[in-house]
Amino acid sequence: MDKKIHVVALAGGVGGAKLADGLSGILEPDCLSVIVNTGDDLKLCGLQICPDLDTVCYTLAGLANPVTGWGRKDETWEVFSEIQKLEGPDWFKLGDHDIAFHLARTNLLDSGLSITETTKILCRKIGVLNSVLPMTDSSVRTIVHTKDGRDLGFQEYFVKENCEPVVTGFTFKGMSHAVPTEAVINAIENADLVVLCPSNPWVSIDPILKLPGLREKIQKKVVVAVSPIIGGKTIKGPAAKMFLELGLLPGTIEVAKHYLDFLSGLVIDAIDHDDADSISAAGIIPLVTGTIMRTKEDRTRLAKETIEFGLKLHPKG
Amino acid sequence: MDKKIHVVALAGGVGGAKLADGLSGILEPDCLSVIVNTGDDLKLCGLQICPDLDTVCYTLAGLANPVTGWGRKDETWEVFSEIQKLEGPDWFKLGDHDIAFHLARTNLLDSGLSITETTKILCRKIGVLNSVLPMTDSSVRTIVHTKDGRDLGFQEYFVKENCEPVVTGFTFKGMSHAVPTEAVINAIENADLVVLCPSNPWVSIDPILKLPGLREKIQKKVVVAVSPIIGGKTIKGPAAKMFLELGLLPGTIEVAKHYLDFLSGLVIDAIDHDDADSISAAGIIPLVTGTIMRTKEDRTRLAKETIEFGLKLHPKG
């Protein structure tokens, strides 16, 4: 495989980070750009926390906790246990090394740098050689609307309420004034292939796609997605539950429909092989393979298969 | 001694905290209010840090590091060593438990509480029963003017530059718009005695005294000070160096002069017994005793002697 193919991956949290890591292993460092959702970001106790950026950065640096998916491996909890003693906010678990990363980030942001510049600096410090690109330097906040009439910040929904409330829709606060960064636009324009990682379509990939002008740029490219839905379920996170609550049958066909206007190919798991015909009928080429990434080898293989698949396809637009 | 005497102590950092701790040990909990300088406060990496408040709170709670004076005992440094790896700001040393305290504080402030309310809550959590009162809820920042023409934030001067620049004066940014809190005013009005702790006159006590209206309140009370200068030197901190750089001979006589308009009595160390006559001549009653606080017993004894001395005096005003 040509290691000099330019790939742009769109990613949210854990699943996205794993495929990005697979891609990172088989491409030249400067050939992979990962555009990351920042709609989940939050300010907590003064710290600027970017959960999806953190997961992608830690995973690419080999620092991620392999058990939880979020946070750092070999983490310590001195600060957190003291916060609990002080009865401070303990719904969002922050390990010591993770806190250091947030403190360093907040310091750089306070000095006037953008989140794009800040992420570039932090990536360099932890040895990430790929471009990890926050989707925007503007403030966009994902709001989850729930059936009981509440509007929750994403982390409030995801962590504090453990994804339990029934969702009725999403708003991306600040989106109409937001702009994708120059780095994001350049990466897409230079890409031979755009890969939608197996991240939540509603709250990880949609915030990126909804950035003014971005979808139009993507539509000109070959785009392949790896389905985050496997056998009607997700490995992690509430994507399947969201499909259901929004009145859609969680499955690869709904994923295909979600990206219908620009998706050329969809990688689905062997367990969903029965869906292949319906996906084809919708005008999207399916690739059936193993999509569960348990090991490093799984990530690499899936990344390789996805690229080779994508390179055979044509832009939808 | 009557434990129900109402005492207000004005304090900065380490020396002030030690005497406040001595006072705390001999007075009923609700009879001691410690008004603390907040001119040294800083925002770092998103954390609201209040070095003098921290030192007073930690000392009163029995959590202070007895070796350094600042920070916590039994501290761990997981976050700090990671910040150093990330090449984040490491000039201001932050231990893990200290960071937890700052995070909890920043969270309370971000929720809309004042620094007075926040400090009250945090004191309760760590078992401090006295009133620890930030001098103001307004933002006041001590600026140190240096001979080489620079204007340094206090922690920049104190920690980053290790008090090395020659000082030419001080500005308290925001002071003209600042107001002492109601709690501060009430504490002074209800006080039987005001004690100026052995803190730096220029940068610990002056910011408190310069709050609009505060000096006039103090002038109606019996005020005794414990000299921060012992044998022409300070136990800790740059007070003696500042006197010298401002053209004044560091000694108890200059301390007496500094507070001449309202000070009834000055407690000086036995080593300075020769100064007693000059202090008397200036209209301030001296008390000569041991003022170095090495042990808990030293703090208690000095506190007791200071109160008993003060109760015999009359307001200057």
Side-chain angles (χ1 to χ4, degrees), chain B residues 8 35 133-135 179-191 211-215 217-218 221:
Chain B
V8 162
I35 301 174
L133 304 176
M135 66 182 196
V179 281
T181 64
E182 208 182 307
V184 161
I185 294 296
N186 287 343
I188 295 171
E189 285 181 348
N190 294 329
L211 281 167
L214 197 135
R215 200 176 192 102
K217 296 277 179 201
I218 296 254
K221 297 287 167 176

Side-chain angles (χ1 to χ4, degrees), chain A residues 171-234:
Chain A
T171 304
F172 304 102
K173 212 174 145 184
M175 186 62 89
S176 59
H177 303 293
V179 280
T181 64
E182 207 182 309
V184 161
I185 295 296
N186 288 343
I188 295 172
E189 285 181 348
N190 294 330
D192 299 305
L193 180 65
V194 174
V195 175
L196 306 193
C197 291
S199 295
N200 189 310
W202 306 100
V203 291
S204 293
I205 304 296
D206 274 2
I208 305 174
L209 294 176
K210 283 181 190 289
L211 281 167
L214 197 134
R215 200 176 192 102
E216 292 70 24
K217 297 276 179 204
I218 295 256
Q219 281 169 334
K220 293 180 186 150
K221 297 287 167 176
V222 178
V223 186
V224 291
V226 175
S227 175
I229 307 280
I230 299 178
K233 294 178 186 163
T234 42

Side-chain angles (χ1 to χ4, degrees), chain A residues 72 76 78 82 86 89 125, chain B residues 72 76 78 82 86 125:
Chain A
R72 298 276 292 257
T76 57
E78 292 290 340
E82 184 67 16
L86 295 170
K125 305 282 185 205
Chain B
R72 298 277 292 257
T76 56
E78 292 290 339
E82 184 67 16
L86 294 169
K125 304 282 185 204

Side-chain angles (χ1 to χ4, degrees), chain A residues 43-47 72 76 78-79 82-83 85-89 96-97 99-104 106-107 110 122 125-126, chain B residues 43-47 72 76 78-79 82-83 85-89 96-97 99-104 106-107 110 122 125-126:
Chain A
K43 192 108 184 178
L44 185 66
C45 299
L47 301 175
R72 298 276 292 257
T76 57
E78 292 290 340
V79 175
E82 184 67 16
I83 286 179
K85 281 188 203 159
L86 295 170
E87 296 173 59
D96 296 326
H97 301 82
I99 287 173
F101 204 69
H102 305 321
L103 287 167
T106 307
N107 185 57
D110 284 351
L122 291 176
K125 305 282 185 205
I126 60 173
Chain B
K43 193 108 183 178
L44 185 67
C45 299
L47 301 175
R72 298 277 292 257
T76 56
E78 292 290 339
V79 175
E82 184 67 16
I83 286 179
K85 281 188 203 161
L86 294 169
E87 297 174 60
D96 296 326
H97 301 82
I99 287 173
F101 204 70
H102 305 321
L103 288 167
T106 307
N107 185 57
D110 284 351
L122 291 176
K125 304 282 185 204
I126 60 172

Side-chain angles (χ1 to χ4, degrees), chain A residues 144-147 157 163-170 238 241-246:
Chain A
V144 180
H145 305 295
T146 69
K147 205 179 172 184
Y157 162 80
C163 306
E164 281 164 12
V166 174
V167 306
T168 56
F170 311 95
K241 183 174 177 281
M242 286 175 174
F243 270 104
L244 210 56
E245 290 167 0
L246 295 167

